[in-house]
Amino acid sequence: MTLPQGDVLDQLAKVMPMTADRIDGKTFAADVRGRVATQVARLREVHGITPGLAVVLVGEDPASQVYVKNKGIQTVEAGMQSFEHKLDTSVSEAELLSLIADLNADKAVHGILVQLPLPKHIDEAGVLNAIDPAKDVDGFHISNVGLLATGQKAMVPCTPLGCLMMLRDRHGDLSGMNAVVIGRSNIVGKPMAQLLLRDSCTVTVAHSRTKNIEEVVRRADIVVAAVGRAQMVNAAWIKPGATVIDVGINRIEAPEKGEGKTRLVGDVDYASVAGVAGAITPVPGGVGPMTIACLLANTLTACCRANGLPEPEGLTA
Ligand code: NDP
């Protein structure tokens, strides 16, 4: 059977408005954390090994403190060891590098995460590249970037890994699908594009200089929006039936909740896009919860690799 395409799909969407499936990131992330916990318990029972994650926080940034606290709680809940290192904003680069060297050498630590942003007097790239690539559970080390780009076994950045897991769950095989990633940051856009390419999608990366961006995005079976602009992507950008993954986290005013109140929204205008897309992730409750779940998955993967054990099934790229 030949499926309707292009204009025909547009006309169908007008007479039969769609309501996209909501991809529930909270439930999905809970499932990933559960699978990690099961495999961690088995590692301990069979091999006497407990994966360990070290998180380094420099300074008092309130958002970073919340992230680090949540990471610590979820690490322990998954049965892993959590090592938190809180350093004063005035810490020197040499002191931070010395801590990283200690963590690199520590056999109980399988994953190291340095919470970003770092204070201005510290060279962020220098610190990230000082982490042992095998323990680089954020996947930001230049070696892991290169390994991913050349299709080799890498540590993969958590947010794109979470997006990939949700897309594979929705579609199974992504081979041959047209994917448009909006955004080209090193943290989300570029690794996302690499992962989709590795799964044999035809990938386009759009950014702030892309011409006719709506038209470009409308060709996509898969749209990943990682821009940081509140509700920029609306229904007119979306091919009927497409899967839309919204990475953006933006705080906007919410007068309906009372004076001075705010709420979180994504880069996608959920209400309008849900009428056209086949599936969509909400904000909050979509990609966000997957990021920490994938951090735990990466720590487990790093631990298995360090001990010459098979990689955890369904938890890697
Ligand atoms: P960056 O600011 O590093 O990158 C944004 C990208 O969007 C850039 O490549 C930029 O293009 C592009 N862009 C900006 N404006 C436009 C535009 N008008 N049209 C098209 N492209 C545009 O952001 P991040 O990648 O770090 O994060 C993106 C969003 O994802 C943010 O909202 C962030 O908070 C969120 N995020 C969420 C995470 C989660 O766990 N859910 C984790 C990480 C990020 P150019 O390169 O040309 O400037």
Side-chain angles (χ1 to χ4, degrees):
M1 188 180 81
T2 311
L3 290 172
Q5 309 246 327
D7 293 347
V8 181
L9 270 178
D10 283 350
Q11 282 162 23
L12 263 179
K14 275 179 198 145
V15 288
M16 290 191 318
M18 297 187 185
T19 304
D21 293 336
R22 184 184 173 93
I23 302 176
D24 182 349
K26 268 193 195 163
T27 305
F28 205 108
D31 176 63
V32 170
R33 290 199 307 271
R35 283 189 281 143
V36 169
T38 303
Q39 298 192 46
V40 167
R42 202 175 312 139
L43 255 188
R44 210 178 19 239
E45 274 165 39
V46 179
H47 301 281
I49 302 165
T50 304
L53 172 64
V55 177
V56 180
L57 172 65
V58 181
E60 307 281 326
D61 178 54
S64 294
Q65 284 181 333
V66 173
Y67 291 143
V68 167
K69 192 171 161 215
N70 285 339
K71 283 169 186 166
I73 291 169
Q74 294 190 26
T75 303
V76 172
E77 277 175 2
M80 302 189 190
Q81 279 193 283
S82 167
F83 308 97
E84 276 182 28
H85 295 269
K86 294 188 176 162
L87 307 175
D88 196 79
T89 320
S90 63
V91 70
S92 70
E93 192 173 301
E95 285 170 305
L96 181 54
L97 289 172
S98 164
L99 171 62
I100 304 268
D102 289 346
L103 296 174
N104 283 343
D106 188 341
K107 293 223 172 337
V109 173
H110 303 96
I112 303 169
L113 179 146
V114 176
Q115 185 68 44
L116 301 178
L118 290 172
K120 290 209 166 36
H121 66 277
I122 294 177
D123 170 24
E124 210 162 86
V127 169
L128 295 180
N129 286 326
I131 296 172
D132 176 349
K135 297 190 178 188
D136 170 38
V137 281
D138 249 344
F140 296 158
H141 191 288
I142 194 79
S143 296
N144 281 314
V145 175
L147 289 169
L148 176 61
T150 50
Q152 300 178 68
K153 202 182 268 186
M155 292 306 306
V156 174
C158 302
T159 300
L161 177 58
C163 298
L164 183 75
M165 282 183 188
M166 292 195 284
L167 285 167
R168 282 180 177 169
D169 181 69
R170 171 88 189 162
H171 293 285
D173 186 5
L174 305 182
S175 175
M177 297 182 82
N178 279 329
V180 173
V181 179
I182 320 175
R184 56 175 165 176
S185 72
N186 292 334
I187 296 173
V188 190
K190 283 183 196 148
M192 187 75 246
Q194 294 289 359
L195 286 172
L196 291 166
L197 194 56
R198 234 163 72 152
D199 270 23
S200 299
C201 290
T202 302
V203 183
T204 304
V205 181
H207 46 78
S208 67
R209 308 291 175 88
T210 300
K211 292 189 177 133
N212 304 323
I213 192 163
E214 290 186 32
E215 237 171 74
V216 172
V217 176
R218 266 174 72 81
R219 282 187 230 127
D221 307 307
I222 291 169
V223 179
V224 180
V227 186
R229 305 218 177 257
Q231 299 170 316
M232 182 182 87
V233 177
N234 63 46
W237 296 40
I238 301 299
K239 173 160 117 179
T243 298
V244 180
I245 305 290
D246 190 355
V247 181
I249 302 174
N250 310 285
R251 193 165 280 287
I252 61 167
E253 288 176 11
E256 73 281 3
K257 286 168 75 179
E259 206 186 308
K261 297 283 183 194
T262 60
R263 66 187 173 101
L264 290 182
V265 296
D267 292 337
V268 175
D269 177 12
Y270 187 93
S272 80
V273 170
V276 181
I280 181 170
T281 59
V283 177
V287 174
M290 286 298 285
T291 298
I292 298 187
C294 287
L295 174 67
L296 304 181
N298 274 352
T299 305
L300 174 61
T301 300
C303 178
C304 291
R305 286 181 185 168
N307 288 283
L309 297 169
E311 306 219 336
E313 233 169 83
L315 295 171
T316 56

